[in-house]
Amino acid sequence: MYHMDFPRMPIAIAVAIGSFFNISCISAKPPSLSAEASFPQPPAESAEKGGGLREAVLAGGCFWGIEGVFERLKGVTDVVSGYSGGSADNAFYDLVSTGTTGHAESVRIVYDPALVSYGTLLRVFFHIAHDPTQLNYQGPDHGSQYRSAIFYDGEGQREVAAKYIATLSDAKVYTAPIVTKVVPLTAFFPAEDYHQNFMRNNPDYPYIVQFDQPKVDALERLYPALLVGGPANSGAEARGQTLWRGLPVREPGSEPIYAVRKSDAEWKAQLGAFAFRVLRQAGTEQAFTGPLNDEHRAGTFYSAATGQPLFRSEAKFESGTGWPSFSEPVKQDAVVLVLDLSYGMERVEVLDSGSGSHLGHVFDDGPTRSDGFDRGTGLRYCMNSASLIFVPDGAEPPALVARWAAGHADAGG
């Protein structure tokens, strides 16, 4: 029974059918379950130019399990199930499942190369996520839509993928040839909503239990250091940090020594009473009262304490909360994330990295790319207008912003 049949059944019926056919007798082990140390390392990569998140598109059978594996890796901020590789200028499940479109079930992985490399993603892809020796099928799913493929975006990804396949082939990791195709990415079409986060939302689904959970179990057993909250956190914890959604979060009181330091009197004189309460005493302005909540022009949002650039307008979205909301900062090191246990809650506070001034909080209920927001990361940086200065593109920046830019010109901003 192919997994394409399951979404049309109520889950209870699918469970009953799975029990009747005793699907637990079918082997679903990944192709190689050797220890991490014995599986060949990916090739060294050239440093990627520019900061920010990157994307990788991979195909290796049913996207439910592939998504379920990669969303557990630290440094991965979003995984979207979808379709890629075909000539059709659109894609949806009923059409792709016919095998006539040329599209393959794929996942788009959004990741931070500072936390997880493209080569590491490929290592998990080949070792855990699928069997790269199966031509046009994976497990019970047959057809070209279930083929193994790497859709590269740029020469750097192509080179790493080609070298790694050669390394695995030379090492004779598999008893059969690797059939994974390395082809340029032309388009990616997100799958229907019910396919997104399917494994997370349906952990007891028969197909998930039989064919996908063993992959995740293997990932947790063989690559614990790669997991969000895994043992690799121990080093971060020694520095007063933990990881949350792949991002370092400091324990209260473990913040760095900030470059901009002033007395309370100096801050009050610069900011005024209200902004001082927000920025320096972690206050919160009333929802829907801040002037920047409805700011939609192209431009940059700067720290009202230092003039440091924090967010771009392209990352701003309407959250309906009444506070300016962003999917990501201009650079991750523009902010410091700190665990906030005030008011009997557990939240992640956002400070500007120049002065440690309070900006707001970040939550994991933001839009993703699968929601139609190109800059979506799944995070919502919920900021106070009082903490920000907005400068439209082309406008002359205020003195505070100009001074920060002048003092950090050699560091690129």
Side-chain angles (χ1 to χ4, degrees), residues 17-352:
I17 292 176
S19 299
F20 180 81
F21 283 103
N22 193 23
I23 62 172
S24 62
C25 296
I26 304 174
S27 174
K29 295 175 65 177
S32 172
L33 291 180
S34 58
E36 174 188 2
S38 65
F39 197 85
Q41 291 275 1
E45 300 176 45
S46 302
E48 297 186 78
K49 296 182 180 179
L53 302 177
R54 300 283 191 267
E55 295 184 359
V57 177
L58 306 173
C62 173
F63 41 33
W64 294 344
I66 304 292
E67 180 188 62
V69 166
F70 283 103
E71 70 176 9
R72 284 164 170 77
L73 299 184
K74 65 184 177 185
V76 170
T77 65
D78 191 25
V79 186
V80 179
S81 290
Y83 315 102
S84 194
S87 58
D89 59 4
N90 198 359
F92 53 92
Y93 186 73
D94 287 343
L95 183 60
V96 172
S97 63
T98 66
T100 61
T101 66
H103 288 300
E105 290 198 11
S106 311
V107 294
R108 180 175 62 196
I109 304 162
V110 183
Y111 67 100
D112 184 346
L115 298 172
V116 61
S117 69
Y118 182 66
T120 297
L121 298 180
L122 294 187
R123 193 181 192 196
V124 171
F125 177 64
F126 283 113
H127 193 187
I128 300 294
H130 84 308
D131 184 344
T133 69
Q134 295 181 345
L135 182 63
N136 291 335
Y137 77 99
Q138 284 292 311
D141 303 316
H142 289 251
S144 62
Q145 67 271 32
Y146 300 112
R147 65 187 181 274
S148 174
I150 297 170
F151 299 101
Y152 65 85
D153 184 14
E155 182 60 22
Q157 288 189 352
R158 187 205 65 78
E159 182 177 350
V160 171
K163 286 183 177 180
Y164 198 29
I165 289 175
T167 297
L168 297 175
S169 297
D170 292 343
K172 295 180 170 54
V173 172
Y174 308 101
T175 57
I178 294 174
V179 297
T180 306
K181 299 296 183 182
V182 181
V183 294
L185 175 66
T186 56
F188 178 86
F189 301 93
E192 294 78 355
D193 287 346
Y194 73 86
H195 283 303
Q196 307 301 333
N197 304 313
F198 193 91
M199 184 174 182
R200 188 193 315 165
N201 295 334
N202 303 281
D204 298 324
Y205 209 56
Y207 185 97
I208 295 297
V209 171
Q210 182 57 36
F211 300 108
D212 293 333
Q213 187 58 48
K215 300 175 184 179
V216 173
D217 293 343
L219 176 70
E220 294 176 349
R221 184 172 69 256
L222 300 177
Y223 291 93
L226 297 182
L227 302 176
V228 173
N233 272 5
S234 57
E237 289 166 355
R239 299 189 298 273
Q241 296 181 15
T242 186
L243 287 171
W244 175 81
R245 301 299 181 261
L247 300 175
V249 176
R250 291 180 172 270
E251 296 294 328
S254 68
E255 299 97 306
I257 298 175
Y258 298 104
V260 180
R261 288 174 286 173
K262 298 180 181 182
S263 67
D264 283 352
E266 290 172 321
W267 280 121
K268 286 179 181 177
Q270 174 190 326
L271 299 170
F274 181 72
F276 174 80
R277 184 174 68 82
V278 173
L279 283 152
R280 302 304 303 172
Q281 297 181 323
T284 301
E285 65 195 15
Q286 187 176 349
F288 297 102
T289 63
L292 298 183
N293 183 50
D294 295 321
E295 179 56 71
H296 302 295
R297 292 174 291 174
T300 302
F301 296 80
Y302 299 85
S303 167
T306 65
Q308 174 184 6
L310 298 174
F311 301 97
R312 278 290 300 172
S313 55
E314 294 87 352
K316 190 171 187 286
F317 61 92
E318 289 297 329
S319 64
T321 61
W323 290 281
S325 299
F326 305 87
S327 60
E328 61 185 356
V330 291
K331 295 187 300 183
Q332 196 58 50
D333 61 8
V335 298
V336 173
L337 306 183
V338 181
L339 182 63
D340 179 4
L341 300 177
S342 62
Y343 303 106
M345 297 183 287
E346 184 171 311
R347 297 176 293 171
V348 178
E349 184 183 13
V350 183
L351 311 177
D352 79 43

